[in-house]
Amino acid sequence: MGGIATVPGRGRKPKPTARKVAAGNPGKRALNKEEPNFGLATNIDPPEWIVGRAADMWERVAPLLLKQKVLQLTDMHNLEAFCMAYANWRAAVDDVHKNGVVVAGATGGPIKNPALTVLNEADRQMVTFGSILGLDPSSRQRLRSPESGKTSNPFGKLLNGS
């Protein structure tokens, strides 16, 4: 019956060219020269609706992403979603700490605290958007900072005449 049929769009998502470059193109495959460039984000403030813990997370994460030079203007919604998921996660954690894992239901009987569902959903969202932004350990290990290209190899200095 022939070969194996493949369905377009299935399988592992391709890594963006900026991430391949940041990782030093470890696969040594040709880079996509026609990948759209939507403009590198260089200085961004949180939208006015990002407040409280979401704004705190923005202030911690955005400068780090800007420093890595992989954040484009079209990635802002991913950063916003990550920060909002973090705020929701923290609020749910606070609720569970305050009210416990089991709370009284509408009829007075014990039920699982609904904040646990919010906590789990927000956690999944943070994992998803954090991975997209390169914030989780497995995504981060594939990246190199702009400074990582600078070597302190003494033999390299000798070869360069330094």
Side-chain angles (χ1 to χ4, degrees):
M1 285 225 164
I4 300 173
T6 60
V7 178
R10 296 228 175 146
R12 183 178 291 171
K13 290 182 182 179
K15 188 187 296 186
T17 300
R19 296 240 190 267
K20 288 181 184 178
V21 169
N25 194 16
K28 306 298 182 215
R29 293 183 182 93
L31 298 175
N32 181 1
K33 304 268 191 235
E34 296 177 12
E35 184 176 285
N37 181 348
F38 296 110
L40 193 62
T42 56
N43 186 16
I44 52 174
D45 292 320
E48 65 277 356
W49 55 270
I50 297 277
V51 296
R53 289 177 169 158
D56 292 343
M57 180 54 75
W58 183 286
E59 295 300 329
R60 289 191 305 213
V61 171
L64 300 172
L65 292 170
L66 293 174
K67 183 179 178 185
Q68 294 302 314
K69 297 180 181 178
V70 294
L71 190 64
Q72 291 198 5
L73 296 173
T74 53
D75 298 326
M76 293 302 106
H77 69 284
N78 292 321
L79 179 56
E80 292 170 11
F82 177 80
C83 294
M84 290 302 297
Y86 172 77
N88 292 337
W89 180 77
R90 286 294 305 269
V93 167
D94 288 348
D95 185 88
V96 171
H97 282 276
K98 179 182 175 188
N99 299 309
V101 176
V102 177
V103 296
T107 60
I111 63 165
K112 176 177 115 178
N113 186 337
L116 290 170
T117 302
V118 173
L119 193 147
N120 287 331
E121 289 175 2
D123 184 62
R124 282 194 297 277
Q125 291 168 350
M126 286 191 313
V127 168
T128 298
F129 292 107
S131 179
I132 289 169
L133 295 167
L135 299 177
D136 64 284
S138 63
S139 295
R140 189 171 51 249
Q141 70 151 344
R142 295 184 298 253
L143 300 178
R144 292 185 187 167
S145 69
E147 292 83 30
S148 69
K150 299 174 186 166
T151 181
S152 62
N153 181 344
F155 296 110
K157 291 179 182 176
L158 286 174
L159 291 173
N160 292 331
S162 302

